[in-house]
């Protein structure tokens, strides 16, 4: 990420770089009360789960203004309850396709081209998928290829990375943003960005899964797609840096509608969105804020919603989401490498989705057979202990009231341990 710096403080331009990361997350939940369970419920008995990922990131400057990146990755894991039973899933590192056998694949292969238009120079540090150097404050950036949509959109300095920050899905991005991604979280497409001092605007189109939450992608980018546009403004409030981002999105796919499924169901049978899929659009928006409160404290908040008339296609079963939190850096208590974070989330569904679940309908992740609707409420806190410059150990706790929006089940507590190293 570019930051302002004096000319003498600018880092030397890297011609290439290589970085690696590895993250292990272990989670456990005790048994909890449940009046009933269904085909896609969170299991009410004690469970454990884990995820492991390791990534290599290679960067190269093939010509002036261009950056080429390639990330091979390996994952392995066992999700609790088969990755079912929650709107806000508890492990952002847990992929929909992970299994007990390690799987190696290409995570990213993309080109970034920057055209500089003038203004002050801004420093860019060496990092994964980021070559050290500097860029002009006014610039146009085109990114195209295989990547994660969240690499470009809906950034947040406090809640964006499950490898080092909060773990819950609803704290990594807008909960109601059904963004284009395969079952591993990646896709193909392009985004164009314009930066001018404190302002930035970006827009992008990416391909969606060929099937709801599937691994294969639909390459017909002019027929089926996920579009998003985002306006960003960086500011200073009481002398402290902050950012506001406004995002809108529109998806186009063959999706099943909740009302259509209810109308098509025969008496005595559960409705199914798989039976009524047709060409549909889904539209939504989100507001994202992060604000420093000093050298060692910051707050953040997100609010998002989508129209909620059709099935979740690529992210979480959330159609309304509010989240807010705070992070404190350990320098305040003499532990410069540590971080304490705490956040709360409130997720909700539209009436159409509630009626579908109450009638016994099942989605990609939730379906208890019945529904006593209540908003899903989540609290998460983590403490990250720095283990030198390149590693950290985190303790995590999440409390979920009304899992999968059902007041007849829960609450449930999830305890986690995360070990992360990066170089």
């Amino acid at each position: 990420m570019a930051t302002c710096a004096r000319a003498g403080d600018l880092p030397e331009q890297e011609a290439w770089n290589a970085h690696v990361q590895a993250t292990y997350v272990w989670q456990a939940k005790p048994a909890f009360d449940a009046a009933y369970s269904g085909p896609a419920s969170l299991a009410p008995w004690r469970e454990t789960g884990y995820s492991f990922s390791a990534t290599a990131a290679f960067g190269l400057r093939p010509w002036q203004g261009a950056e080429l990146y390639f990330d091979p990755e390996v994952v392995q894991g066992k999700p609790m309850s088969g990755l079912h039973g929650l709107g806000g899933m508890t492990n952002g590192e847990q992929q929909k396709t992970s299994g007990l056998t390690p799987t190696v694949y290409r995570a990213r292969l993309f080109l970034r081209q920057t055209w500089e238009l003038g203004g002050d120079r801004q420093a860019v540090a060496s990092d994964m998928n980021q070559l050290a150097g500097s860029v002009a404050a006014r610039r146009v950036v085109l990114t195209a290829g295989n990547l994660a949509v969240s690499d470009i959109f809906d950034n947040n300095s406090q809640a964006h990375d499950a490898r080092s920050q909060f773990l819950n899905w609803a704290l990594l991005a807008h909960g109601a943003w059904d963004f284009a991604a395969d079952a591993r979280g990646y896709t193909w497409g392009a985004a164009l960005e314009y930066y001018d001092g404190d302002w930035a605007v970006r827009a992008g189109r990416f391909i969606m899964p060929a099937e709801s939450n599937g691994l294969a992608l639909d390459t017909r980018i002019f027929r089926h797609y996920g579009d998003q546009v985002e306006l960003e403004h960086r500011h200073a409030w009481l002398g402290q840096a902050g950012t506001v981002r406004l995002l809108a999105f529109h998806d186009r796919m063959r999706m099943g509608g909740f009302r259509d499924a209810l109308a098509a169901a025969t008496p005595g049978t559960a409705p199914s969105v798989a039976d009524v899929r047709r060409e549909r659009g889904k539209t939504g928006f989100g507001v994202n804020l992060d604000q420093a409160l000093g050298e060692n404290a910051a707050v953040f908040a997100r609010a998002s919603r989508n129209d909620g008339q059709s099935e979740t296609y690529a992210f979480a079963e959330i159609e309304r989401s509010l989240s807010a939190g705070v992070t404190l850096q350990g320098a305040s208590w003499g532990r410069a490498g540590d971080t304490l974070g705490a956040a709360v989330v409130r997720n909700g569904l539209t009436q159409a989705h509630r009626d579908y679940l109450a009638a016994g309908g099942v989605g990609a992740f939730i379906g208890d057979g019945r529904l006593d609707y209540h908003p899903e409420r989540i609290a998460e806190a983590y403490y990250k202990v720095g283990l030198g410059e390149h590693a950290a150990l985190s303790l995590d706790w999440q409390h979920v009231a009304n899992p999968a929006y059902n007041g007849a089940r829960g609450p449930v507590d999830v305890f986690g341990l995360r070990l992360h190293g990066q170089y």
Side-chain angles (χ1 to χ4, degrees):
M1 182 179 296
T3 58
C4 294
R6 296 189 303 270
D9 297 331
L10 296 174
E12 183 178 347
Q13 181 170 286
E14 283 185 319
W16 66 275
N17 69 12
H19 293 273
V20 294
Q21 79 82 29
T23 306
Y24 176 79
V25 178
W26 178 88
Q27 291 184 318
K29 65 173 180 64
F32 64 92
D33 293 333
Y36 50 83
S37 296
S41 292
L42 189 67
W45 51 83
R46 182 184 182 276
E47 280 189 298
T48 63
Y50 76 92
S51 66
F52 170 76
S53 72
T55 315
F58 303 100
L60 173 70
R61 293 189 194 272
W63 59 80
Q64 182 64 33
E67 304 160 52
L68 180 65
Y69 296 99
F70 169 57
D71 294 9
E73 190 165 72
V74 59
V75 297
Q76 180 182 0
K78 183 191 77 171
M80 292 188 291
S81 301
L83 203 62
H84 290 117
L86 292 170
M89 294 293 179
T90 61
N91 182 359
E93 275 282 276
Q94 191 78 66
Q95 296 185 1
K96 302 166 193 172
T97 59
S98 60
L100 299 178
T101 302
T103 302
V104 181
Y105 56 91
R106 181 198 63 248
R108 295 175 177 87
L109 177 61
F110 68 92
L111 179 71
R112 180 186 298 138
Q113 177 69 52
T114 300
W115 295 276
E116 298 191 339
L117 305 177
D120 295 337
R121 305 299 297 177
Q122 297 179 342
V124 179
S126 181
D127 205 343
M128 298 186 71
N129 303 308
Q130 186 168 283
L131 289 163
S134 64
V135 293
R138 291 183 61 241
R139 62 192 184 275
V140 173
V141 181
L142 174 65
T143 305
N146 176 201
L147 69 162
V149 178
S150 57
D151 290 345
I152 300 173
F153 295 86
D154 192 31
N155 191 17
N156 189 292
S157 64
Q158 311 303 309
H160 193 61
D161 183 4
R163 292 168 178 169
S164 60
Q165 300 170 331
F166 295 95
L167 279 167
N168 195 280
W169 286 21
L171 290 167
L172 304 182
H174 288 302
W177 180 26
D178 201 3
F179 58 87
D182 65 15
R184 295 188 178 118
Y186 303 103
T187 184
W188 287 80
L192 188 65
E193 304 174 83
Y194 172 66
Y195 292 85
D196 190 350
D198 294 332
W199 291 91
V201 62
R202 54 187 63 94
R205 170 168 288 191
F206 297 85
I207 56 178
M208 299 289 284
E211 297 181 355
S212 173
N213 289 279
L215 183 58
L217 291 166
D218 185 338
T219 58
R220 296 171 292 178
I221 196 169
F222 296 107
R223 181 176 180 182
H224 296 148
Y225 50 81
D227 285 347
Q228 42 273 306
V229 60
E230 185 174 59
L231 178 66
E232 173 181 293
H233 182 251
R234 294 172 295 280
H235 61 266
W237 180 65
L238 300 179
Q240 301 297 324
T243 307
V244 177
R245 298 174 181 88
L246 307 177
L247 180 138
F249 75 90
H250 177 74
D251 298 335
R252 187 73 183 177
M253 280 303 301
R254 283 186 56 83
M255 296 181 281
F258 301 122
R259 293 296 183 202
D260 290 351
L262 286 163
T266 57
T269 64
S272 173
V273 289
D275 296 337
V276 293
R277 289 183 174 131
R278 61 178 175 84
E279 295 291 326
R280 284 180 170 272
K282 178 184 291 186
T283 301
F285 66 89
V287 181
N288 172 341
L289 166 71
D290 64 83
Q291 177 65 55
L293 299 180
E295 291 186 5
N296 299 311
V299 295
F300 69 91
R302 281 189 178 97
S304 61
R305 64 185 293 154
N306 67 53
D307 58 45
Q309 300 305 302
S310 55
E311 65 183 306
T312 295
Y313 212 80
F315 189 44
E317 296 218 46
I318 302 171
E319 290 145 5
R320 311 282 187 265
S321 187
L322 295 171
S323 62
V326 60
T327 57
L328 305 173
Q329 300 305 313
S332 299
W333 54 90
R335 292 281 306 175
D338 294 5
T339 303
L340 172 65
V344 292
V345 181
R346 186 182 189 274
N347 296 325
L349 300 178
T350 60
Q351 189 63 53
H353 200 168
R354 300 178 205 176
D355 293 344
Y356 174 79
L357 294 172
V362 177
F365 303 110
I366 62 176
D368 296 327
R370 289 178 277 167
L371 183 67
D372 176 18
Y373 179 78
H374 289 74
E376 183 180 77
R377 299 194 304 273
I378 301 167
E380 180 176 0
Y382 73 89
Y383 189 88
K384 182 173 68 176
V385 180
L387 304 176
E389 184 179 355
H390 301 294
L393 176 68
S394 300
L395 303 176
D396 187 85
W397 166 73
Q398 297 177 55
H399 177 80
V400 184
N402 311 316
Y405 313 95
N406 201 335
R409 311 185 82 250
V412 60
D413 291 288
V414 178
F415 303 92
L417 183 72
R418 173 180 60 199
L419 181 61
H420 171 68
Q422 183 169 321
Y423 181 78

